Amino acid sequence: MDDYHRKLGLDRAITRRDFLNGAAISVAGAYTALRGSGLLGQSSSPTPALGADIYPPLRSGLRGNYPASISEFDNIRAGQYDKFPVADADIRESYDLVIVGGGISGLSAAHFYRKALGEDQRILILDNQDDIGGHAKRNQFDYAGKTFLGFGGTMAIATPYPYSYAAKALLQELGIEVMRYPEFINHDLDTKYHLRSAMFFDKEHFGEDRVVAGLGRLPWKDFFAQAPLSAAAQRDLVRLHGKNPDYMAGMSVVDKKAKLARISYQDYLLHIAKMDPSALPVFLGDGERNNKRVDTLPALEAAQHGSIGFNGLGLKLEESFNEGSFFFHFPDGNASVARLLVSRLVPAALPGEQSMNTIVGAKLLYDQLDVADAPMRIRLNSPVVRVEHQGPIESAEWVRIAYRQNGKLSAVRARNCILACYNRLIPALMPEIPARQKEALAYPVKVPMVYTNVLLKRWTAFQKAGISRFSAPGMYYPYVQLDPGTTVGGYSGVTTPEEPILVHMMANPNKPGLPRKEQNRVGQQELLTSSFQKFELEVRQQLARMMAGTGFDPAEDIAAITVNRWPYGYAYTYDSLADPDVPQEQRPHILGRQRYHLVSIANSDAGAAAFTNQAMDEANRAVEELLVRQGLT
Ligand SMILES: Cc1cc2nc3c(=O)[nH]c(=O)nc-3n(C[C@H](O)[C@H](O)[C@H](O)COP(=O)(O)OP(=O)(O)OC[C@H]3O[C@@H](n4cnc5c(N)ncnc54)[C@H](O)[C@@H]3O)c2cc1C
């Protein structure tokens, strides 16, 4: 290793490898021993004596869609399981309902089904990952005698449109009182330590590395005056952040909106608002909008989101739902929602009365998830490879579901099945569904995303810099933030500068210039072919550059890194630039999610919206469809 990489700390002993490459391991023996020692299932005290070998949230290195969890996907797509791979005579387990996918949608589907038909229904959830929750992933670090929690994906109960009655009622049943969030949030970090937001201008896009602190606080004129930008760029950015003239004067509001729906935000800025092109890099990788980018975001959507440059146009935009009015963030994100669902489905796995006040500190007993003869079972490390009705489809009474576990193929049989997994995989999982439906299911391309949690031994350098979050346009991680620390359920993430803290870093690999779906495909490929070492190098280099001159030492200060790479991230959402303007009922997600005999389809993909409430609503609909088919409603 050369000096440069050594200085960054790439030779340092941190827990950085993907644990056993995520391969399935037997945990039962180890759990029995731990329970005997009284270390599990107790209060929410920190420093549980758990190891990453038996406790998946503690695994660091590469997480998210880690390699072993998705290693079957290519085989499935290549048709390796076109013939159902398990003989009927070898199918030993039968269920009332089998759910493929243990994310929030799959878990909610089990909940709704049991609510409708009773807790004696025999239900099995199969998931390819080693942990529950899908995108709602808990990252846990036990370090220096304390537990630090981060979110590896789904960050919060937050949505641009209101929760439905069903989703709100579910949250209530789980004991989550969203309106109480202000009691748990730490408002102190910034005020107590005089921390601000900053923008990092990198030399690749702006000619030199420079930090300008005071983003959003300083008057824009003073802020951009310090930036390494041309005078024209500074002038135009100040203009756009202020009260704009009507750049589309002479057009009716209807015509303005129609035009804005057909051009990108980038084209609006450059050609209508006449922004100097040298200012464009400032808009690269906007951390607030990781689903859409300046070159693919329709200008009208940008206006609706309150982006700069539109306030002189008199657009009369409908008042949108106030996202902040319904918000709750657990330290591990919506993994707490998933864990609360599990506590209702399989109480033995999370003993005691679990609510929002206890769930964060509760230890999940993974060996209780899949106990023989229990009516409700959750089987992890089990990628489903094939789903097929047994016998002639019209008269079939069973669905067969084949999966791989510990390298071995097995199958179960179910009266009903819900596919709450990635919708785009369904045509290959279940080749018997009609061609038109398969075509619709194959339409969306999920958004590639990376949520990396870096545990720092101390954050005195951030205190010295007076910065708690960075916007870093164009860099690998355009958004970087110190975890502000939520205090809930006996857990407190609040730390002093001399103590460890988590830094959250977000990335959205893409390829500016290509259409949005193409950019998603390129980003997915990039994530699928990037090693943990690549992410680690990006983390260390970027932190070293942003924190230069503050005493930050990437070799010394970093204790652990967990990279949640999600090539299969957000559900695809439509927009007026990239997708045909067709009536709602002809949208691909609607055509794709139709029940096919004994099988219905859930997941947020089925709602074409990347939110927890959508995952719940799609679960509710999928269950309803199965109940209606059975003549039960
Ligand atoms: C990084 C990130 C941040 C997000 N932040 C938020 C947020 O703050 N708020 C919000 O509301 N939403 C957020 N979302 C959106 C999130 O997708 C939804 O909120 C919700 O968690 C989706 O749940 P789901 O069950 O529909 O899908 P998933 O969570 O993706 O669950 C699907 C499950 O199916 C499994 N699966 C796939 N194929 C197979 C197979 N062949 N066999 C077995 N199992 C399979 C998957 O591994 C996964 O566990 C975020 C998403 C990401 C990726």
Side-chain angles (χ1 to χ4, degrees), residues 248 256-275 280 283 289 292-303 307-308 310 512-516 519 575-578:
M248 301 173 89
K256 282 179 186 173
K257 284 188 180 173
K259 170 136 193 164
L260 293 173
R262 295 274 153 241
I263 59 169
S264 69
Y265 185 32
Q266 176 169 312
D267 282 344
Y268 174 77
L269 290 169
L270 294 177
H271 306 304
I272 296 190
K274 306 283 182 213
M275 182 184 79
L280 195 58
F283 294 83
R289 208 169 293 118
K292 311 219 172 134
R293 306 142 194 132
V294 65
D295 60 328
T296 57
L297 178 70
L300 185 60
E301 253 190 76
S307 300
I308 59 166
F310 297 99
L514 292 177
R516 185 157 66 96
Q519 294 206 32
D575 72 59
S576 55
L577 288 182

Side-chain angles (χ1 to χ4, degrees), residues 532-563:
F532 176 78
Q533 282 69 15
K534 143 113 180 128
F535 295 110
E536 180 180 6
L537 182 61
E538 294 288 356
V539 163
R540 290 180 181 275
Q541 286 185 142
Q542 188 167 336
L543 287 178
R545 286 173 66 180
M546 293 191 312
M547 299 300 294
T550 63
F552 178 77
D553 179 349
E556 190 47 45
D557 292 352
I558 293 175
I561 301 174
T562 299
V563 176

Side-chain angles (χ1 to χ4, degrees), residues 131-148:
D131 205 350
I132 51 113
H135 289 156
K137 173 86 78 192
R138 174 176 168 114
N139 286 174
Q140 182 169 331
F141 303 83
D142 286 352
Y143 180 75
K146 211 181 151 192
T147 291
F148 296 88

